[in-house]
Amino acid sequence: MTPQQAGIGRITAAIVAMAAMLPYLTLKIFWLTGHPVGVSDPAFMNDPAMVGLNAMTFGMDAVALLLALAFTTRQGMRLPAWLVLLPLWLGAGLLSVVIVTVPAGVLLVGGSVFSTDGPIAPWVYMTVYGGFIGQGVGLMVAFVLYARDRWPAVFSTTLGSGQASPTGPFQTVVARGALLVSAVLGGTRLYWAAGNPAPVQALQDGFKGLLALGAGVALVLLVRGRGAGPFWPPLVVGWLGTGVMFGWGLYAMILTVTGGPLGARMTGVVGLVELFGTLTGLVMAMCGAFLLTERSGVGHVQPAQDPLEGEDREDDRETADHGHR
């Protein structure tokens, strides 16, 4: 089958995403080549930990740029599913928090949300987070339109329309166990949000907590596979929730391990929440991947044909030939 050509909506959203990425990528190129644009202390960017983090985030945004470009072409429809879904899952988890909390933070505290006493100028934060919002919205819209063209059944099927799953009992155990852990993690974050006097941090904890709770419930609904409700709403909640848990938890773990000038080491209860969020989000996402693979019919083997049945059909074919003669 010839891949469907990208529509104007998908192309426009992808172009918006790519345009929003360019300032961030440009800043990273300057910093990685020894030009501390927007940084008052050059030694800050020369720290090995910062160099490594800048290289990693530049690579992540470069992958996002290539994916956005792929969404505009027919060849992008031929990419292996995992090559599209894995980076988009991680990117959606990271960017969704920025898309929701940064504009809300600006409304609550104004431009002071970007103020800092560190070596990085406020305009850099405005440029970076503004770009994140643009690329996040553009990427997500382009991906939804891409997925609708490539996997239309996801948007039209119901929860109860799936076939019996050979790994269903295992998925049920994972989903129920993950619900308990995600409830603890989400409840902890909501508790932090309720008592945090810093509006932006409270918003982040509240949003992450709600998505953790939602992802746990969504995975149970998807695994149970019952009812006539649409399949895609719990899939979206589970997709975003697990991406947030894994993406931001992994980022916190990287900062803790590398240390460096950012000085964001996660210890005590905070460290445990981030660690278990990373692990739980990964396990839930793998469970969801098995579920989607089985529902799509990938890997289903046709029943082996009985050799005797084949011989009988051959005899019938020969008899029919003699009859025609």
Side-chain angles (χ1 to χ4, degrees), residues 294-314:
E294 290 175 355
R295 283 184 67 104
S296 66
V298 176
H300 284 193
V301 180
Q302 296 295 329
Q305 181 178 333
D306 188 341
L308 295 179
E309 181 184 354
E311 292 179 4
D312 292 341
R313 289 182 179 176
E314 187 65 30

Side-chain angles (χ1 to χ4, degrees), residues 68-320:
L69 180 61
F71 289 158
T72 67
T73 66
R74 287 185 175 179
Q75 288 73 20
M77 301 290 284
R78 296 193 179 98
L79 290 174
W82 68 267
L83 195 58
V84 176
L85 297 178
L86 181 59
L88 259 297
W89 167 67
L90 180 59
L94 292 171
L95 293 173
S96 60
V97 175
V98 176
I99 292 172
V100 172
T101 60
V102 171
V106 171
L107 290 176
L108 288 174
V109 301
S112 61
V113 70
F114 299 114
S115 63
T116 174
D117 296 329
I120 300 180
W123 70 263
V124 173
Y125 286 102
M126 296 176 65
T127 302
V128 168
Y129 283 107
F132 282 164
I133 293 171
Q135 77 178 71
V137 172
L139 266 179
M140 291 182 192
V141 171
F143 173 61
V144 169
L145 297 176
Y146 172 92
R148 186 188 62 182
D149 292 337
R150 182 169 179 176
W151 301 293
V154 172
F155 298 87
S156 59
T157 189
T158 62
L159 281 169
S161 62
Q163 299 178 348
S165 166
T167 62
F170 175 73
Q171 292 179 20
T172 300
V173 172
V174 172
R176 289 177 177 174
L179 176 59
L180 294 176
V181 179
S182 62
V184 173
L185 298 176
T188 302
R189 288 198 177 276
L190 291 175
Y191 174 76
W192 290 345
N196 197 326
V200 177
Q201 187 60 50
L203 282 170
Q204 290 184 1
D205 282 329
F207 185 66
K208 291 178 181 179
L210 288 174
L211 278 181
L213 291 172
V217 174
L219 183 60
V220 171
L221 292 175
L222 293 171
V223 168
R224 289 179 74 244
R226 298 175 186 174
F231 179 74
W232 67 266
L235 178 62
V236 171
V237 175
W239 170 279
L240 287 177
T242 56
V244 168
M245 293 168 69
F246 177 77
W248 285 94
L250 181 62
Y251 178 69
M253 292 298 101
I254 292 173
L255 293 182
T256 299
V257 172
T258 58
L262 292 179
R265 294 184 180 275
M266 306 298 171
T267 59
V269 176
V270 176
L272 287 175
V273 169
E274 298 291 1
L275 175 60
F276 276 91
T278 307
L279 298 176
T280 306
L282 179 60
V283 170
M284 293 170 70
M286 292 177 66
C287 180
F290 275 102
L291 185 147
L292 289 174
T293 301
E294 290 175 355
R295 283 184 67 104
S296 66
V298 176
H300 284 193
V301 180
Q302 296 295 329
Q305 181 178 333
D306 188 341
L308 295 179
E309 181 184 354
E311 292 179 4
D312 292 341
R313 289 182 179 176
E314 187 65 30
D315 292 341
D316 293 342
R317 209 174 284 117
E318 291 180 0
T319 301

Side-chain angles (χ1 to χ4, degrees), residues 4-119:
Q4 184 173 345
Q5 187 175 1
I8 186 64
R10 198 204 310 172
I11 293 175
T12 302
I15 291 175
V16 169
M18 288 187 284
M21 295 176 197
L22 294 180
Y24 182 78
L25 290 171
T26 302
L27 272 175
K28 292 293 180 176
I29 291 174
F30 277 126
W31 292 346
L32 289 170
T33 55
H35 300 81
V37 177
V39 180
S40 59
D41 182 10
F44 178 80
M45 286 300 171
N46 293 330
D47 185 279
M50 285 302 302
V51 173
L53 288 172
N54 281 331
M56 179 187 72
T57 50
F58 174 83
M60 291 171 63
D61 225 41
V63 170
L65 181 68
L66 293 176
L67 278 176
L69 180 61
F71 289 158
T72 67
T73 66
R74 287 185 175 179
Q75 288 73 20
M77 301 290 284
R78 296 193 179 98
L79 290 174
W82 68 267
L83 195 58
V84 176
L85 297 178
L86 181 59
L88 259 297
W89 167 67
L90 180 59
L94 292 171
L95 293 173
S96 60
V97 175
V98 176
I99 292 172
V100 172
T101 60
V102 171
V106 171
L107 290 176
L108 288 174
V109 301
S112 61
V113 70
F114 299 114
S115 63
T116 174
D117 296 329

